[in-house]
Structures are given as structure tokens and as C-alpha cells.
Amino acid sequence: MTAVIIDGRAVARRMQSEIRTGAEAAASALGRRPGLGVLLVGDDPASAMYVRMKRRACERVGIHSVASILPASASQAEVEAAVRAFNESADIDGILVQLPLPATIDEAAVLSEIGLPKDVDGIHPVNLGFLGMRGREPTFTPATPTGVMRLIAESGMDPAGKEAVVIGRSNIVGLPIALMLTNADATVTRCHSRTVDLPTVTRRADIVVAAVGQPEMVKADWLKPGAVVIDVGSNSVPDPDSEKGYRYVGDVDFAGARHVAGWLTKVPGGVGPMTITMLLANTLKAAQA
Ligand code: NDP
């Protein structure tokens, strides 16, 4: 079997073209472009790169983006005040706090400051809580997990009644993916670093989502033939053949998995482009609300 590659870049391009049209219509209706406020604290190069990518994507689709950049030495009060300034700004429809925040900052307290109507990354504890409650709807769902669900939909497999395994249980990735799969009526097993005999667990899954941060950990013989495999991992590994000296690989051994999985995402070019796209989609939705 050779897996069908789910092309996140192509799905993202299609969606961004629709978002651009929606953003133009919203700009005419509002008399201003939809706005995203991005908060970056500290000088982590990866975080700075993610923020630049998000700002460029905003430009592409006609969303106005404003960055608030604070030094790593910023106090808790200064970081929370930056979030509140976005809450109060009439030009800002959505707020993104780039994580991780410096260790000196109480992240939960900062995220709790985001006004729910502007929580376009679905990261406020109330929105995450609503995601896990029956009969409650979050105002927004987190960008990466929403992108993962969209890529699963691309495979044509309906998660209802299927066995799904999510490897990783972080608040921003693994946890919401597991909740969203449960809400889509899959039977979900959540795995983590203390899971015993992970390959046996993943082998029974119709859907595997790997969100671990371990390069190429999930091997071909961990997979059920025909499974939908979504690789969230983004790991830089040394590569002397590349100009930069490194390249990005996922949490799944792509070369092996493509001979067993039914559908598979690539890294790069899978979940990454969807994460940004879902953030743009949520920002437009916030502007239209
Ligand atoms: P975290 O480090 O917060 O969480 C990693 C999770 O993996 C934890 O739950 C941990 O378990 C689990 N884990 C670690 N090692 C193992 C192991 N050997 N076996 C089983 N489980 C293990 O990472 P994130 O959730 O933030 O990110 C996960 C990956 O996704 C990273 O590669 C990150 O770069 C990528 N990512 C990609 C995005 C994209 O847009 N493409 C967006 C966000 C993240 P435990 O809880 O027990 O410690």
C-alpha cells in the first residue's frame, strides 16, 4: 500500500483564498480590515520566526496585524497589560499570545486575560473547558488541532465510531485534539511519555495523531494498514547536505509509514500551513461576529 499524501499546503492555499474574499467583504462592512494582535515576549528565535510567518500570512489575506513585542525581562503586569490593550482596541478582533512565554511569567494568568470574543487561538481556559463539556461550545477552537481535524476530513474518513490514538497531551496540541476527536464521536486513547507499549496501542488505531516532539518516533510497524496518520511534530535535525545545516522532520518515520498508512501528512507541508490558516479563519470569524 502507498499512502495518499494529504497536502496541507494545498488545503491551506484553498482556504486562504476564501479567507481573502471574506476579509475584503468584512473590510467593506466594518470600514476597516479585520485585525489580529500578536504578543511576543522574549527573544526565542523560533517564536520570533512563527510570529513573522503569522504576520506575513495576515498580509496575504488582507488581515491587519499588530505586534506587541516585549523583552524577556517584562514583568507579569506588563505582559497582562499588553493583552488588555488588545482587548480594548477597537481595531483588534483576535489576540494571539505566542507560546511559550518566559519561565518567569505565569502563562495561565496571561491567557486568562484574553477576552473570550477575541480568543482566536481557543487557548483561554474557559474555551478549552467548553471544548471538553457536552452541550457547551467554545467561541473558538485552537488553531493547530482545528487544522488537524480539517486534514482528517480531507482523507474522507469519518471519525465517528473509529479508534483514534493521540500521542501527546499538551494543553495547546494533544489535549484539544483528543477532545475534538471525541466530539467527532471517535473512541480516543490519549498517550504520553508514561504510556506502556505505545506501538501496541497505535496499531489498533484507524486514526493516529502524533504530537510528541520526537523525530521520526512513530515507525511503520506501529501502524494499522490503511490508517489516517497526521504528523504534528516539527523537529529540526542536523543535515549536512542542506544549506542551513538542518532540516525539519515530523514525529512519524515518513519513509516507512507511507507504505502502511492509507493517508499521511508530510513535514513540512502538512499541519504547519493549516495552523496559520485556522488562525486567519478564526480572526475573520471574530471580525464578522
Ligand atoms: P510538548 O512538549 O508540550 O508535549 C509533548 C507531549 O508528548 C507530552 O504530552 C509528552 O508526554 C509526550 N511525549 C514526549 N515523549 C514521548 C514519548 N517518547 N512517548 C510518548 N509520548 C511522549 O509539545 P507540544 O504539544 O507543544 O508539541 C508537540 C510537537 O508538535 C512538537 O514537535 C512541536 O514542535 C509540534 N507543533 C507543531 C505545530 C505546527 O503547527 N505544525 C504547532 C504546535 C506544535 P508527557 O505529557 O508525559 O510529558
Side-chain angles (χ1 to χ4, degrees):
M1 170 176 297
T2 304
V4 175
I5 305 304
I6 308 172
D7 185 347
R9 281 201 186 106
V11 180
R13 253 196 313 274
R14 278 202 308 273
M15 288 190 69
Q16 288 191 18
S17 153
E18 288 163 18
I19 294 167
R20 191 179 312 115
T21 307
E24 276 165 23
S28 305
L30 295 168
R32 62 166 180 84
R33 287 185 291 155
L36 176 69
V38 180
L39 175 61
L40 173 64
V41 186
D43 42 24
D44 174 52
S47 292
M49 183 188 74
Y50 292 137
V51 165
R52 275 197 304 278
M53 285 165 66
K54 284 163 186 165
R55 298 196 70 193
R56 276 204 295 269
C58 282
E59 276 166 34
R60 274 202 304 278
V61 300
I63 289 176
H64 173 59
S65 75
V66 179
S68 182
I69 300 175
L70 298 180
S73 58
S75 68
Q76 182 76 28
E78 284 167 329
V79 176
E80 290 182 16
V83 176
R84 279 197 296 275
F86 282 146
N87 281 334
E88 284 153 21
S89 167
D91 292 336
I92 296 296
D93 301 290
I95 301 172
L96 174 92
V97 175
Q98 185 64 47
L99 300 177
L101 292 169
T104 48
I105 300 294
D106 176 350
E107 185 177 292
V110 172
L111 298 178
S112 298
E113 286 293 335
I114 301 173
L116 289 183
K118 297 192 179 189
D119 181 30
V120 289
D121 205 17
I123 194 75
H124 189 289
V126 168
N127 270 331
L128 269 183
F130 281 177
L131 190 59
M133 292 167 76
R134 297 216 69 165
R136 303 304 296 259
E137 285 283 330
T139 43
F140 296 100
T141 53
T144 300
T146 309
V148 167
M149 294 303 289
R150 184 70 177 72
L151 292 176
I152 293 170
E154 281 291 308
S155 76
M157 185 187 279
D158 178 358
K162 299 290 191 306
E163 290 276 345
V165 167
V166 180
I167 320 174
R169 57 177 166 180
S170 70
N171 287 345
I172 57 169
V173 191
L175 165 71
I177 291 171
L179 295 175
M180 292 172 88
L181 279 165
T182 305
N183 293 343
D185 296 327
T187 301
V188 181
T189 305
R190 297 174 59 195
C191 300
H192 43 75
S193 64
R194 305 294 298 273
T195 299
V196 174
D197 196 4
L198 188 52
T200 298
V201 181
T202 54
R203 264 198 291 271
R204 62 170 192 249
D206 305 297
I207 300 169
V208 175
V209 181
V212 189
Q214 299 284 341
E216 301 177 326
M217 183 184 88
V218 177
K219 304 297 181 200
D221 64 356
W222 295 25
L223 300 172
K224 176 175 173 176
V228 175
V229 180
I230 308 291
D231 191 352
V232 185
S234 176
N235 311 291
S236 121
V237 294
D239 180 3
D241 294 336
S242 126
E243 219 171 85
K244 294 176 180 160
Y246 63 88
R247 67 192 163 92
Y248 283 96
V249 299
D251 292 337
V252 177
D253 173 15
F254 181 85
R258 70 178 310 173
H259 299 298
V260 181
W263 292 267
L264 177 62
T265 59
K266 275 204 222 170
V267 177
V271 174
M274 294 302 292
T275 294
I276 293 181
T277 304
M278 292 305 172
L279 181 71
L280 301 173
N282 281 349
T283 304
L284 174 59
K285 193 172 141 197
Q288 290 167 329

